[in-house]
């Protein structure tokens, strides 16, 4: 604990290039879910701070330094920010682990490089966004300009705080927008630190403002603020719907990345050893607090028993441990409330008739922390609540299927459509099933792969719009058509 405090300072808001207290002077305490102890106090943004941040962003955008800067210079600054994130990966990884409870292996080795990768990738786009010359009528010279939207409000969840900063801010900034970022109240620390690094990289004041605070207060004020042109949101479907409704009053553009209940489908002809590994990481990576978690495992009947036996054995070996230990692969859930919700779903599953074959219990480490065992529920029917509702924890629901038709039908029988996995050695089957699955991402003989260059987002109730890849730049730009009479 002493060591922990030595590496964390009180968190401030970042508005117009300065670290400041909230206008009200209010703070909140961010907690370490592995030890149940406080990490530090953080300034709590309210509506007045949102207004200041939006005005600073507007000023930087409307004829300010960001708008006037040559794209090559914007590219250089964003690339430098990617470098700084890598240079500070130890510090950022540690902050993320303290705040979120995820293993340091994930936050240091995967999340920090992924966040950096976003800034490196999108930096390159700053110099490549262009309109088109469209010769539609001989009497006119006609072309389009691809322009930024203005001020983007980014509202992000607690499961991948650092990565979400990269997913949202890198493309928005590369396209020439200014950003007001609200990290989740549970995990504000890495967003604040990246905000500081952005200033060090040379981002002019006001271009990236960071407002830790409550969603129902600071987030709500951002969505209602007429000076915000667009909200890019990742979080729950419930809050996403609310944002869409509230944003309508000021005709906000909205991108929503919401929940999931993704099917990971194992055919009998798969490399079963690889599929067991893929099913395990598909659900237990990130403690299952992953929007795209392969939380419904669909297994072909003929290999079901053998597969589930191997899976249960593997899950039992995945023991919760100190997230700061580099060997740990299962950390603490983010909060007591999340742990209670997850354990409640295990009970629900059992009472619905599912069979618990691994885990199912809280397992404190050193007597503390919101740790939950890697849990496998077998004999789940796809209509049960544990198969239809997002649990957002290390709980896998195993469902049998008989053939391709049955697999596709059950796979798509969900309100969500974020991701899916397919395990087979038959290349025709892989392509055919990938086409038929209603999901924004399909992994074949793999699970949970991401890259800044590959679009990611949902079908159905998992939202609309895309993060990452060239596709995401459409979300942060608008097109102007210019007609010049040449007669
Ligand atoms: P939410 O409760 O929806 O929170 C997400 C963000 O919205 C937080 O910053 C939250 O602030 C804020 N918020 C809450 N109420 C708000 C309001 N009225 N107006 C504006 N902002 C508001 O989700 P969560 O529990 O943090 O995250 C888990 C969910 O995110 C899961 O459903 C998961 O599937 C989804 N998720 C989706 C994806 C993709 S890419 N689709 C990726 C990761 C997570 P506070 O937390 O400070 O209250």
């Amino acid at each position: 604990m002493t060591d922990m405090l030595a590496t964390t300072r009180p968190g401030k808001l970042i508005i117009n290039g300065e670290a400041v207290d909230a206008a009200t002077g209010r703070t909140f305490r961010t907690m370490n879910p592995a030890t149940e102890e406080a990490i530090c106090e953080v300034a709590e943004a309210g509506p007045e701070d949102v207004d200041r941040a939006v005005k600073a962003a507007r000023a930087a955008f409307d004829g300010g330094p960001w708008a006037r800067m040559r794209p090559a210079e914007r590219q250089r600054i964003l690339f430098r920010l990617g470098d700084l994130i890598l240079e500070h990966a130890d510090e950022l990884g540690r902050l993320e682990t303290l705040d979120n409870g995820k293993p340091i292996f994930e936050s240091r080795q995967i999340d920090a490089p992924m966040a950096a990768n976003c800034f490196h990738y999108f930096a390159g786009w700053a110099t490549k966004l262009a309109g088109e010359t469209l010769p539609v009528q001989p009497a006119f010279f006609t072309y389009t300009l691809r322009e930024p939207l203005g001020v983007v409000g980014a509202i992000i969840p607690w499961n991948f705080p650092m990565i979400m900063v990269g997913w949202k801010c890198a493309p928005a900034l590369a396209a020439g927008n200014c950003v007001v970022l609200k990290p989740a109240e549970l995990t504000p620390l890495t967003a604040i630190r990246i905000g500081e690094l952005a200033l060090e990289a040379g981002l002019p004041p006001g271009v990236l403002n960071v407002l830790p605070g409550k969603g129902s207060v600071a987030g709500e004020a951002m969505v209602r603020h007429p000076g915000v042109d667009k909200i890019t949101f990742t979080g729950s479907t419930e809050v996403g719907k609310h944002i869409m409704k509230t944003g309508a009053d000021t005709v906000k553009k909205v991108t929503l990345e919401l929940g999931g209940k993704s099917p990971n489908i194992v055919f009998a002809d798969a490399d079963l050893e690889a599929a067991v590994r893929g099913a395990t990481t598909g659900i237990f990576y990130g403690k299952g607090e992953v929007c795209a978690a392969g939380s419904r495992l669909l297994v072909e009947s003929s290999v079901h028993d053998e597969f589930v036996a191997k899976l249960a054995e593997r899950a039992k070996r995945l023991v919760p441990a100190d997230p700061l230990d580099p060997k740990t692969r299962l950390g603490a859930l983010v909060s007591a409330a999340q742990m209670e919700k997850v354990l409640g779903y295990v009970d629900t599953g059992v009472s619905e008739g599912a069979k618990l074959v691994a885990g199912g219990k809280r397992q404190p480490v050193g007597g503390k922390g919101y740790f939950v065992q890697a849990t496998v529920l077998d004999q789940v029917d796809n209509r049960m609540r544990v198969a239809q509702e997002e649990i957002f924890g290390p709980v896998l629901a195993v469902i049998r299927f008989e053939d391709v038709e049955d697999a596709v039908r059950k796979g798509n029988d969900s309100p969500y459509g974020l991701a899916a996995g397919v395990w087979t050695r038959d290349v025709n089957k892989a392509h055919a099933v990938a086409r038929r699955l209603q999901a924004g991402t399909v992994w074949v003989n793999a699970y949970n792969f991401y890259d800044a260059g590959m679009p990611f987002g949902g079908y159905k109730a998992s939202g609309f719009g895309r993060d990452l890849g060239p596709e995401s730049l459409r979300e942060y730009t608008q097109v102007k058509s210019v007609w010049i009479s040449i007669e």
Side-chain angles (χ1 to χ4, degrees):
M1 182 65 186
T2 318
D3 175 34
M4 185 164 82
L5 281 176
T7 60
T8 49
R9 298 163 281 144
K12 301 253 188 186
L13 316 179
I14 299 178
I15 300 178
N16 207 18
E18 285 177 24
V20 295
D21 292 321
T24 58
R26 248 199 215 124
T27 60
F28 64 95
R29 194 165 281 178
T30 188
M31 309 291 291
N32 179 343
T35 60
E36 303 174 42
E37 290 172 313
I39 305 170
C40 62
E41 292 288 326
V42 179
E44 183 182 323
E48 208 177 311
D49 305 298
V50 170
D51 191 51
R52 276 160 66 209
V54 173
K55 286 188 174 132
R58 275 253 79 92
F61 181 78
D62 293 332
W66 199 235
R68 285 201 311 269
M69 192 179 282
R70 287 190 309 124
E73 184 62 5
R74 284 211 300 265
Q75 170 175 314
R76 200 190 58 75
I77 292 171
L78 293 176
F79 203 86
R80 173 86 186 113
L81 177 52
D83 286 348
L84 284 175
I85 291 172
L86 284 184
E87 284 166 28
H88 291 79
D90 286 341
E91 179 195 353
L92 288 166
R94 188 177 161 77
L95 280 180
E96 195 88 312
T97 287
L98 293 176
D99 223 5
N100 168 283
K102 64 174 67 189
I104 190 84
F105 165 74
E106 295 180 10
S107 52
R108 168 64 186 87
Q109 308 300 344
I110 296 160
D111 294 7
M114 176 71 186
N117 178 231
C118 286
F119 285 98
H120 285 143
Y121 172 83
F122 284 106
W125 272 109
T127 49
K128 287 153 202 83
L129 283 171
E132 289 176 287
T133 312
L134 299 164
V136 291
Q137 292 186 19
F140 287 89
F141 174 50
T142 36
Y143 62 92
T144 60
L145 294 170
R146 185 161 284 280
E147 298 185 333
L149 301 174
V151 176
V152 170
I155 302 179
I156 59 173
W158 43 256
N159 59 342
F160 288 96
M162 175 161 42
I163 286 185
M164 288 295 132
V165 173
W167 282 30
K168 305 293 189 194
C169 298
L173 295 170
N177 300 282
C178 293
V179 175
V180 178
L181 167 70
K182 195 205 85 65
E185 190 187 351
L186 288 172
T187 56
L189 298 179
T190 47
I192 298 171
R193 189 68 186 109
I194 294 175
E196 293 170 347
L197 294 175
L199 295 171
E200 201 179 318
L203 216 64
V207 175
L208 174 60
N209 306 276
V210 186
L211 299 182
K214 290 196 170 84
S216 54
V217 180
E220 188 83 18
M222 279 167 65
V223 178
R224 291 185 186 277
H225 201 296
V228 175
D229 299 287
K230 188 214 165 101
I231 294 287
T232 175
F233 171 80
T234 292
S236 61
T237 299
E238 190 193 355
V239 174
K241 285 183 194 168
H242 173 73
I243 285 177
M244 216 174 149
K245 285 183 202 149
T246 317
D249 287 340
T250 46
V251 197
K252 289 268 185 307
K253 295 170 184 66
V254 177
T255 298
L256 302 177
E257 300 276 7
L258 309 173
K261 192 74 192 178
S262 300
N264 197 2
I265 304 174
V266 180
F267 287 101
D269 62 7
D271 173 344
L272 293 184
E273 294 303 326
V276 169
R277 286 196 300 277
T280 312
T281 58
I283 182 64
F284 300 127
Y285 183 81
K287 313 160 260 167
E289 292 169 336
V290 178
C291 53
S295 51
R296 284 187 299 146
L297 184 75
L298 272 56
V299 185
E300 192 159 356
S301 259
S302 59
V303 293
H304 170 275
D305 294 355
E306 172 195 352
F307 197 85
V308 171
K310 285 185 176 156
L311 186 70
E313 196 225 52
R314 214 177 161 87
K316 284 176 191 158
R317 279 193 274 127
L318 194 61
V319 178
D322 176 6
L324 285 170
D325 182 337
K327 294 194 292 299
T328 297
R329 294 293 180 271
L330 189 59
L333 301 198
V334 74
S335 64
Q338 189 63 18
M339 178 185 70
E340 296 304 338
K341 177 183 160 198
V342 169
L343 292 172
Y345 268 112
V346 176
D347 292 344
T348 302
V350 171
S351 65
E352 283 179 307
K355 185 177 165 205
L356 189 62
V357 293
K361 291 202 168 57
R362 181 181 186 180
Q363 186 170 325
V365 174
K368 290 262 167 94
Y370 311 127
F371 297 87
V372 172
Q373 295 169 335
T375 300
V376 180
L377 290 170
D378 190 21
Q379 296 174 20
V380 173
D381 181 282
N382 200 52
R383 297 313 309 163
M384 290 179 184
R385 281 184 61 199
V386 287
Q388 288 293 313
E389 297 173 19
E390 186 179 44
I391 298 175
F392 225 53
V395 180
L396 182 62
V398 185
I399 299 157
R400 275 174 190 267
F401 69 86
E402 300 307 324
D403 54 22
V404 169
E405 284 309 312
D406 195 30
V408 170
R409 190 178 54 76
K410 285 179 174 149
N412 287 337
D413 178 17
S414 164
Y416 296 109
L418 193 55
V422 179
W423 298 83
T424 176
R425 286 193 173 97
D426 179 340
V427 70
N428 294 353
K429 193 190 283 179
H431 283 292
V433 173
R435 271 195 199 182
R436 294 179 63 192
L437 288 170
Q438 295 159 354
T441 293
V442 179
W443 290 288
V444 174
N445 296 331
Y447 207 91
N448 264 342
F449 280 77
Y450 305 88
D451 192 281
M454 196 68 172
F456 184 84
Y459 281 27
K460 305 198 282 187
S462 294
F464 52 80
R466 291 292 174 270
D467 281 315
L468 307 180
E471 202 67 26
S472 68
L473 293 156
R474 290 183 209 280
E475 314 285 346
Y476 297 107
T477 53
Q478 54 196 340
V479 171
K480 180 180 283 169
S481 297
V482 183
W483 294 68
I484 300 190
S485 169
I486 52 172
E487 274 196 335

